[in-house]
């Protein structure tokens, strides 16, 4: 095999290794590639400018943190550069403008949270699914990836606890759950959870076809944004900001909030707090 053909046969993983990236960086970039491929395969798109533009805009609709959005775009740029250098694919990459890394997504105020909770009371075929999402994204302060990673055994009914795998560090933490949170999750599992496909039997939240719930959670976000009238101000991550701010308002120490959110250091937690803009309120018990 000629040298040129050898170069052309290098896959993305091999190319990253040749760039001498650290193993952790390679794992991250490969996960971003899989994230992109999952979207393209589901939509039956090819790797081209228009499909990558749609992917980028779809990412913005999912409610990720601004930091994670920047990381995904960083990963996309690397992958496109690989395609250009190794496979000669010419793509004029379009990426939507993102907020600065230092920008903080706004927490929802008292009136906005009330608007969401009132909307959730309306009858719907996915009533318990939505109550569960509310109870975990808001009441539990979970990240989107943490919710998607939940397993059925993680719900400890007797102890009234939920075992959460922190997506960024791989560590686990236990968060308390109220009787109403437990009711929402139990009813979702018994009444609305689809039949699981092979390999997904233990996954807590399932998509419509019994597999990954990634697309379902993304579509649900769009519905919540439209039905509550909050638009893109409402994201799953905004709920995480909201509960963090509220807990501090109620007297919880920043160290306790940091542990509750699964942060490794307090400096990360401080970016979540919006006490100066948050109207002190008594949250409806979940």
């Amino acid at each position: 095999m000629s040298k040129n053909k050898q170069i052309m046969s290098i896959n993305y993983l091999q190319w990253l290794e040749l760039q001498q990236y650290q193993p952790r960086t390679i794992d991250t970039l490969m996960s971003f590639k899989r994230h992109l491929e999952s979207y393209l395969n589901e939509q039956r798109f090819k790797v081209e400018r228009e499909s990558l533009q749609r992917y980028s805009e779809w990412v913005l609709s999912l409610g990720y943190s601004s930091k994670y959005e920047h990381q995904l775009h960083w990963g996309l740029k690397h992958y496109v550069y690989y395609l250009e250098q190794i496979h000669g694919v010419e793509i004029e990459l379009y990426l939507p403008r993102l907020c600065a890394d230092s920008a903080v997504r706004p927490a929802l105020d008292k009136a906005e949270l009330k608007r969401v909770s009132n909307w959730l009371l309306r009858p719907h075929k996915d009533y318990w699914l939505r109550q569960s999402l509310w109870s975990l994204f808001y009441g539990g302060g979970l990240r989107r990836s943490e919710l998607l990673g939940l397993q059925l055994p993680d719900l400890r009914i007797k102890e009234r606890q939920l075992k959460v795998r922190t997506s960024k560090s791989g560590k686990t933490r236990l968060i308390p759950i109220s009787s109403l949170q437990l009711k929402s999750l139990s009813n979702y599992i018994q009444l609305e959870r689809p039949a699981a496909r092979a390999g997904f039997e233990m996954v807590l939240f399932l998509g419509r076809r019994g597999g990954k719930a990634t697309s379902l959670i993304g579509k649900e976000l769009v519905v919540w944004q439209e039905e509550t009238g909050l638009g893109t101000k409402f994201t799953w991550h905004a709920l995480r900001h909201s509960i963090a701010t509220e807990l501090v308002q109620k007297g919880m120490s920043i160290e306790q909030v940091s542990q509750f959110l699964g942060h490794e250091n307090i400096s990360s937690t401080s970016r979540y707090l919006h006490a100066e803009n948050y109207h002190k309120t008594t949250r409806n018990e979940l």
Side-chain angles (χ1 to χ4, degrees):
M1 182 182 293
S2 68
K3 184 176 181 180
N4 286 339
K5 288 185 177 180
Q6 287 178 337
I7 293 176
M8 290 290 289
S9 67
I10 293 176
N11 61 34
Y12 188 48
L13 175 59
Q14 294 169 331
W15 182 77
L16 291 174
E17 291 172 341
L18 288 174
Q19 308 307 306
Q20 297 184 340
Y21 286 118
Q22 294 295 319
R24 184 172 180 178
T25 301
I26 292 176
D27 289 342
T28 300
L29 288 169
M30 289 298 296
S31 71
F32 291 154
K33 175 178 178 288
R34 289 191 293 270
H35 191 275
L36 169 65
E37 289 177 336
S38 176
Y39 170 82
L40 295 179
N41 290 336
E42 183 174 325
Q43 301 296 326
R44 298 182 180 179
F45 288 154
K46 295 180 180 180
V47 180
E48 53 191 12
R49 184 183 189 278
E50 183 179 352
S51 62
L52 295 182
Q53 177 179 342
R54 291 189 181 183
Y55 168 75
S56 299
E57 293 171 343
W58 173 71
V59 165
L60 292 183
S61 74
L62 294 178
Y64 289 127
S65 67
S66 57
K67 182 177 180 180
Y68 191 66
E69 286 173 354
H70 278 272
Q71 289 178 331
L72 276 170
H73 277 195
W74 166 71
L76 185 55
K77 288 177 182 177
H78 271 73
Y79 185 56
V80 169
Y81 183 66
Y82 155 76
L83 294 176
E84 292 174 344
Q85 294 295 307
I86 302 302
H87 298 287
V89 178
E90 295 184 6
I91 298 177
E92 184 183 352
L93 183 60
Y94 165 87
L95 294 175
R97 186 175 180 180
L98 299 177
C99 297
D101 287 333
S102 59
V104 178
R105 289 191 181 278
L108 302 181
D109 62 25
K110 176 182 177 180
E112 291 165 336
L113 290 169
K114 186 66 175 178
R115 187 188 305 181
V116 178
S117 63
N118 286 341
W119 171 71
L120 287 170
L121 294 177
R122 300 176 185 176
H124 192 273
K125 65 176 182 178
D126 293 320
Y127 180 85
W128 293 114
L129 167 65
R130 291 177 176 173
Q131 290 293 333
S132 296
L133 296 180
W134 172 250
S135 72
L136 295 182
F137 280 130
Y138 176 49
L142 266 64
R143 301 178 177 95
R144 178 178 173 278
S145 55
E146 292 172 343
L147 181 135
L148 289 171
L150 290 174
Q151 303 281 308
L152 290 174
D154 294 334
L155 181 58
R156 302 182 175 186
I157 297 177
K158 291 183 178 180
E159 297 86 354
R160 292 197 174 185
Q161 291 179 329
L162 186 68
K163 181 180 178 182
V164 180
R165 294 168 187 81
T166 305
S167 55
K168 294 187 176 181
S169 66
K171 297 179 180 179
T172 61
R173 67 185 188 276
L174 294 175
I175 61 171
I177 53 176
S178 69
S179 58
L180 289 181
Q181 285 175 300
L182 182 57
K183 179 181 178 181
S184 297
L185 290 166
S186 298
N187 281 334
Y188 163 72
I189 293 170
Q190 295 174 17
L191 303 175
E192 296 179 2
R193 181 174 176 268
R197 284 171 21 203
F200 292 90
E201 292 86 355
M202 302 307 294
V203 177
L204 178 53
F205 288 98
L206 296 173
R208 301 294 185 196
R209 299 180 180 180
K212 290 182 179 180
T214 305
S215 178
L216 171 66
I217 300 302
K219 291 176 181 177
E220 274 296 306
L221 176 61
V222 175
V223 172
W224 289 49
Q225 291 172 336
E226 294 176 350
E227 293 294 323
T228 62
L230 295 175
T232 55
K233 183 176 183 181
F234 178 91
T235 66
W236 303 133
H237 215 73
L239 294 180
R240 181 171 161 87
H241 280 252
S242 301
I243 189 60
T245 302
E246 187 173 334
L247 290 174
V248 170
Q249 285 283 325
K250 288 185 173 181
M252 183 179 285
S253 70
I254 192 171
E255 291 83 3
Q256 290 173 314
V257 175
S258 181
Q259 184 177 9
F260 175 75
L261 294 176
H263 286 153
E264 292 190 345
N265 55 71
I266 295 177
S267 62
S268 297
T269 311
S270 63
R271 295 188 297 106
Y272 277 63
L273 308 181
H274 308 256
E276 70 281 3
N277 298 320
Y278 191 86
H279 301 289
K280 189 173 182 179
T281 179
T282 301
R283 176 167 59 94
N284 292 333
E285 183 185 4
L286 290 170

